[in-house]
Amino acid sequence: MKAAVHREYGAPQVVHIEERPDPVPSAKQVLIRVHASAVTAADSRIRGARFPRGYGVLARMIFGLRRPRSQVRGVVVSGVVEAVGAQVKGFAVGDEVCGSTGMGGAHAELATASTKRLVHKPAAVSHEQAAGMLFGGSTALHFVRDVGHVSAGQTVLVNGASGAVGTNAVQLAKHFGAEVTAVTSAANAALLKELGADHVVDYAITPVAGLTERFDVVMDTVGNIGIEAGRRLLTDDGVMLLVAGTLGEALRARGNVKGGTTAERAENYATLLDLVADGTLTVVNQHVLELEDIVRAYEIADSGRKVGNVVVRP
């Protein structure tokens, strides 16, 4: 099979396409013919060993001290089942599925995944839409619904609203009945309005820390507000959600500041896909590229100006 491989950490150019042996599913896994996979911020950080401050040593212990243990990135997968393990139930050859591979491997023609991290893809959702939704969407759903408990009548500020998490956070907060203020660049203001934002703040003109309004929920998806500045933006009963940040900030997240990681839950994937299928959520895919263009995909992901998602197709 063809796969995007990197044997060292570094710039996008360390990744190249080569032939690899086909993966073999274990007893509780399925083999998937990949139709689409996202190139996420997590893929980009691991490839370049660019981890948030304080996480470097721990991350290298997980992903490889001097070189990556897994040479094929890609966690989000959407495709068709080609083979099933001996103990697999509920999935069969030919099923259209999507979900997570766990630690990587989806930037290839074939990938394996545990059925615990997979769901059947609705017919109304394309593979490209599924691949673009699941990473940012599951993070946004976790923080908006499960951590922030966003509800009707609340005011929500989404910082980094044009990214993979932010575009979904804006839509989900609106879905739950909130009044949403999106922080982005002027170039993306029209998009955020289309996605449902009630107000759009151009950070180049009005820095977030300079806002005079107060919000029930402040969601920082890029990690550049800071806890002290974030708390000043909250109402008396408000909560700040740290989607991104340093290890120090994560350790200080308590009281009205909440952080943490997002669990990979198949039921959350199913919820998001149903919302896409019925038109409630719009998947924002800035680019859908061929796997051979993986370097370009990483350059976009590394730029800090990615809008929504970048998806690759083998």
Side-chain angles (χ1 to χ4, degrees):
M1 69 168 185
K2 289 188 301 182
V5 177
H6 72 117
R7 292 185 172 82
E8 58 183 318
Y9 296 118
Q13 289 73 22
V14 301
V15 187
H16 61 279
I17 305 298
E18 67 176 51
E19 288 290 329
R20 302 270 284 194
D22 292 354
V24 178
S26 68
K28 296 182 179 181
Q29 290 182 324
V30 299
L31 179 67
I32 301 168
R33 174 69 60 178
V34 180
H35 284 223
S37 179
V39 177
T40 69
D43 295 322
S44 185
R45 284 194 298 268
I46 296 168
R47 184 223 71 234
R50 295 180 292 99
F51 304 108
R53 190 168 69 248
Y55 286 101
V57 174
L58 176 62
R60 281 184 178 259
M61 289 177 65
I62 295 171
F63 297 109
L65 288 173
R66 297 182 179 179
R67 58 187 61 85
R69 288 194 180 94
S70 173
Q71 298 176 352
V72 181
R73 301 264 61 81
V75 171
V76 177
V77 63
S78 186
V80 178
V81 175
E82 281 225 340
V84 299
Q87 298 178 27
V88 167
K89 297 180 180 179
F91 294 88
V93 172
D95 286 353
E96 292 192 322
V97 298
C98 55
S100 170
T101 61
M103 289 292 286
H107 293 165
E109 291 181 313
L110 294 165
T112 57
S114 167
T115 55
K116 291 181 179 180
R117 298 189 179 99
L118 291 177
V119 295
H120 291 90
K121 183 184 72 63
V125 179
S126 71
H127 289 292
E128 290 83 2
Q129 287 176 310
M133 170 54 61
L134 294 188
F135 176 77
S138 58
T139 300
L141 182 64
H142 170 72
F143 278 94
V144 171
R145 184 191 65 186
D146 303 334
V147 181
H149 305 293
V150 172
S151 59
Q154 289 190 313
T155 55
V156 176
L157 177 75
V158 180
N159 184 45
S162 60
V165 177
T167 52
N168 290 297
V170 167
Q171 295 181 82
L172 287 167
K174 284 299 297 181
H175 175 61
F176 293 127
E179 179 181 341
V180 180
T181 298
V183 180
T184 185
S185 65
N188 297 320
L191 169 65
L192 270 301
K193 282 286 190 178
E194 291 175 8
L195 295 178
D198 299 285
H199 316 283
V200 177
V201 173
D202 177 0
Y203 61 76
I205 296 176
T206 307
V208 177
L211 292 173
T212 57
E213 297 91 336
R214 296 296 176 262
F215 303 89
D216 297 308
V217 178
V218 171
M219 185 172 180
D220 187 3
T221 75
V222 291
N224 63 0
I225 294 180
I227 289 177
E228 289 75 16
R231 279 182 165 143
R232 288 195 294 271
L233 293 169
L234 296 176
T235 59
D236 290 343
D237 297 322
V239 60
M240 181 181 187
L241 306 179
L242 289 177
V243 180
T246 67
L247 177 60
E249 288 175 328
L251 293 174
R252 292 164 54 208
R254 57 178 58 88
N256 60 355
V257 178
K258 301 182 184 298
T261 58
T262 304
E264 297 175 332
R265 294 193 176 98
E267 58 266 31
N268 287 351
Y269 297 158
T271 295
L272 291 165
L273 293 166
D274 286 345
L275 291 173
V276 174
D278 70 15
T280 300
L281 291 183
T282 297
V283 182
V284 179
N285 286 341
Q286 181 184 16
H287 294 282
V288 177
L289 304 172
E290 301 305 308
L291 186 62
E292 287 77 4
D293 296 320
I294 189 69
V295 172
R296 173 61 179 149
Y298 271 120
E299 288 173 343
I300 297 167
D302 283 11
S303 70
R305 295 184 294 274
K306 179 170 68 67
V307 178
N309 312 278
V310 176
V311 171
V312 291
R313 300 181 301 196

